[in-house]
Amino acid sequence: MAGVFHATTARPRLLPVLVCLSPATRKLRLTFPAATTMDGASASAPDAKKTTTVFVAGSTGKTGKRVVEKLLERGFGVVAGTTDVGRARGSLPQDPNLQLVRADVTEGAEKLVEALRGVDAVICATGFRRSFDPFAPWKVDNLGTVSLVEACRKAGVTRFILVSSILVNGAAMGQLLNPAYIVLNLFGLVLVAKLQAEKYIRGSGINYTIVRPGGLTEQPPTGSIVIEPEDTLYEGSISRDQVAEVAVEALLCPEESSYKVVEIVTRADAPNRPLKDMFASIKQK
């Protein structure tokens, strides 16, 4: 069962996991050593490299939940940040390698620091919920992300993955009249808010990967993932499952994905290429 912790309470380190592939069933089998600590587990998940514990902001959201599931499947320890621990307990997997912690990005960096102690990386999949507050997008998608980056600095976390959106820089792309750009910005200029957060991340010095998906769908993945450089895509969609896959893959191939902004959609006629190779094809700016 997932453990529950508050950001002000000392949190024990997660147990490492060993990921084994059963030849008979071709399924992953997780083995939990009886007595060890995360400090000695940097190689416990073969494909997790040096990152063993990941904090997920927005873990009960439609994309964040999938990120948590993908991380657990790949053998990572996960600290799920949520504003509602009860909701998280009911919607996230019951897994011994998962911990729940109350963390609200709108409450500032100081309150987030303790939730990040001992983690190696952060995946931010937050997004404002529609409400009568016209400033909600700025509080969550801009200032909240900035607070999370600042908390990473204070907690010594050096790797940050942001799930953003295509068209955040629509004005510079000549897409001011794009219906998607207009509609999304009707909700408190959310794309503008996301762009400001991206700019802060890029100037912060933290090792980042910014993933900009197209329109998000709830359906199972169809078509192959396409990864393009920033400010390239202005239409297209992608399954949330595939967005989570790309975000987790960014952790698994830091040499290819660090300090990059990528845009992703799926296309039925696209070749099925390894994500690592597609990350490598994107040049840093």
Side-chain angles (χ1 to χ4, degrees):
M1 181 176 293
V4 180
F5 299 90
H6 294 284
T8 55
T9 304
R11 173 165 38 81
R13 290 184 178 274
L14 294 169
L15 291 176
V17 295
L18 301 177
V19 182
C20 303
L21 188 62
S22 171
T25 63
R26 309 301 295 174
K27 294 183 179 180
L28 287 175
R29 176 169 55 85
L30 303 185
T31 303
F32 298 85
T36 185
T37 65
M38 191 58 71
D39 288 334
S42 60
S44 57
D47 55 1
K49 298 185 179 179
K50 292 184 180 179
T51 298
T52 54
T53 311
V54 183
F55 178 90
V56 179
S59 63
T60 56
K62 293 179 180 179
T63 300
K65 178 182 176 182
R66 290 166 167 84
V67 170
V68 170
E69 292 169 349
K70 293 286 184 185
L71 287 168
L72 291 171
E73 287 173 7
R74 300 303 293 266
F76 288 94
V78 179
V79 179
T82 176
T83 57
D84 187 338
V85 171
R87 179 185 177 193
R89 188 185 295 111
S91 64
L92 294 177
Q94 299 297 304
D95 192 295
N97 216 30
L98 171 66
Q99 294 180 358
L100 310 180
V101 59
R102 189 190 179 282
D104 187 339
V105 297
T106 66
E107 294 180 351
E110 293 300 329
K111 291 190 176 181
L112 292 169
V113 171
E114 201 59 39
L116 301 183
R117 298 288 187 197
V119 307
D120 305 301
V122 168
I123 297 180
C124 179
T126 55
F128 84 100
R129 293 193 179 117
R130 295 180 189 178
S131 68
F132 293 107
D133 183 356
F135 300 106
W138 289 87
K139 292 177 181 177
V140 176
D141 294 276
N142 179 15
L143 300 178
T145 303
V146 168
S147 292
L148 194 55
V149 173
E150 283 303 300
C152 285
R153 280 179 166 181
K154 296 175 185 293
V157 181
T158 59
R159 189 77 169 101
F160 194 93
I161 313 294
L162 174 69
V163 178
S164 183
S165 174
I166 64 170
L167 283 173
V168 292
N169 205 21
M173 295 171 63
Q175 295 295 318
L176 282 172
L177 299 182
N178 185 313
Y181 185 78
I182 294 171
V183 170
L184 288 171
N185 275 321
L186 287 176
F187 299 102
L189 297 176
V190 63
L191 292 179
V192 179
K194 288 179 181 293
L195 180 62
Q196 294 307 307
E198 286 190 14
K199 289 180 177 179
Y200 185 86
I201 291 168
R202 297 174 76 163
S204 69
I206 199 167
N207 183 335
Y208 67 85
T209 303
I210 296 172
V211 179
R212 295 176 175 175
L216 299 171
T217 68
E218 309 298 324
Q219 288 75 29
T222 57
S224 298
I225 297 172
V226 174
I227 296 183
E228 298 287 354
E230 63 181 298
D231 301 340
T232 301
L233 300 175
Y234 54 87
E235 63 182 357
S237 62
I238 187 168
S239 165
R240 292 182 189 272
D241 291 306
Q242 291 167 305
V243 175
E245 183 181 349
V246 173
V248 173
E249 186 67 24
L251 293 178
L252 297 172
C253 57
E255 292 184 6
E256 292 77 14
S257 66
S258 292
Y259 302 103
K260 293 182 179 181
V261 180
V262 300
E263 299 187 339
I264 58 173
V265 294
T266 55
R267 291 175 181 153
D269 58 350
N272 187 13
R273 298 175 56 200
L275 293 176
K276 181 177 181 179
D277 292 350
M278 288 192 282
F279 269 122
S281 70
I282 304 299
K283 305 301 181 184
Q284 294 179 354
K285 283 194 176 182

